[in-house]
Amino acid sequence: YNLTDNQNKELNLHPLKPIISYSICPNLTNLAVLGEYNAKSFSSSVYLYNLQRGTIHSLETNLQVNDLYWTTDNVLLLGKIIDKNEPNYSFSLYSVSENKFLIKDVSAVKKSISIKDNLIFYIDSLNNNLSSVSLTNGQTTEYFKVDSLNYETVLFPDITLIGLLGKTNTNISLVIFSLSQKNIVNTLSFPLNKNETYIEKYSINNQYFIKTYNNKTKQYSINAINFPN
């Protein structure tokens, strides 16, 4: 569906069924499709569907991955969920222009993944290290070890800072670290009332929003949180 001219366009993806995941490139030129899923081998193949020409191009076949999305106009993240318990997720990065993997099978806590300035930040679920991987060449960098896998990463305009967002039954905590100095810069806490449950965070233009659910009223709420820049 085109939001500019309000026109529907049918995409012929029938040859790629069963399809388990897809993602539109940020420049709107290609649709990445994870299709031809085989339930017996848990394998699927990655294709590019050109949205202008309606052509299909094969990238990789017989991969054991569950989802995919674009990190840039060129690099696809291919994720694999193993089971319900950590460590249960890994990702690979695939360069479309180079037709090759930049890095494969990085163990990570899925909710800890954040992207900024051609870097993916994540918590390594095998060694508890806060790490990053380059979207340019696949090079990894380790920063420091964290005390729990139950964190989400929070990015700031200052690339030298990163926050770790955690939750308890009574509050949401944010520990801000310096990546260069490898020390704690600040610690913040945001209380939850007894009926509130934290769901997830959003970020729009460096403004963060926290989504919670009230178990008493059965309603969701979204509140702005003024984290420091």
Side-chain angles (χ1 to χ4, degrees):
Y1 184 79
N2 191 315
L3 294 176
T4 302
D5 57 17
N6 297 319
Q7 297 296 311
N8 285 315
K9 181 179 180 180
E10 185 174 341
L11 307 181
N12 182 18
L13 301 177
H14 182 75
L16 309 183
K17 293 182 178 180
I19 295 171
I20 60 174
S21 184
Y22 59 88
S23 178
I24 298 177
C25 184
N27 64 19
L28 305 180
T29 58
N30 290 299
L31 180 74
V33 179
L34 195 58
E36 296 181 340
Y37 177 68
N38 187 316
K40 291 183 179 180
S41 61
F42 301 105
S43 63
S44 53
S45 300
V46 183
Y47 292 89
L48 281 189
Y49 182 93
N50 188 288
L51 294 170
Q52 278 74 45
R53 297 190 297 268
T55 55
I56 298 174
H57 173 66
S58 174
L59 293 181
E60 292 288 334
T61 59
N62 298 318
L63 299 177
Q64 290 190 327
V65 296
N66 310 107
D67 61 64
L68 85 173
Y69 61 86
W70 296 91
T71 59
T72 67
D73 288 337
N74 177 56
V75 179
L76 282 168
L77 183 148
L78 306 173
K80 178 171 63 176
I81 298 175
I82 303 168
D83 55 41
K84 294 182 179 180
N85 300 313
E86 298 284 2
N88 67 347
Y89 183 79
S90 65
F91 69 85
S92 302
L93 298 177
Y94 186 88
S95 170
V96 173
S97 63
E98 298 176 85
N99 290 314
K100 70 174 187 179
F101 283 98
L102 299 177
I103 194 170
K104 296 182 74 173
D105 299 326
V106 179
S107 297
V109 179
K110 185 176 183 180
K111 67 180 180 180
S112 74
I113 295 175
S114 294
I115 303 172
K116 184 176 178 64
D117 293 347
N118 282 319
L119 289 174
I120 292 183
F121 291 91
Y122 64 96
I123 295 174
D124 190 316
S125 56
L126 293 182
N127 58 26
N128 284 49
N129 280 328
L130 176 68
S131 306
S132 69
V133 58
S134 169
L135 293 170
T136 304
N137 55 25
Q139 180 178 346
T140 60
T141 302
E142 293 185 349
Y143 298 102
F144 47 80
K145 192 178 292 292
V146 300
D147 59 5
S148 170
L149 296 179
N150 193 32
Y151 285 118
E152 298 178 58
T153 52
V154 174
L155 303 180
F156 303 103
D158 184 350
I159 192 62
T160 65
L161 299 178
I162 192 167
L164 296 180
L165 189 72
K167 60 185 173 98
T168 68
N169 292 332
T170 58
N171 69 76
I172 300 169
S173 63
L174 179 69
V175 182
I176 304 172
F177 288 90
S178 165
L179 294 175
S180 57
Q181 300 298 322
K182 298 183 178 181
N183 62 345
I184 297 176
V185 175
N186 200 355
T187 301
L188 305 173
S189 181
F190 307 94
L192 296 172
N193 70 49
K194 64 179 181 179
N195 296 313
E196 277 188 304
T197 301
Y198 168 78
I199 303 298
E200 58 187 334
K201 72 178 189 302
Y202 299 90
S203 175
I204 302 175
N205 297 326
N206 298 316
Q207 172 67 64
Y208 281 91
F209 299 87
I210 299 296
K211 182 179 181 180
T212 60
Y213 177 73
N214 190 301
N215 300 288
K216 185 176 181 179
T217 64
K218 310 299 182 184
Q219 293 181 330
Y220 290 95
S221 298
I222 297 178
N223 298 293
I225 301 294
N226 295 315
F227 295 152
N229 294 327

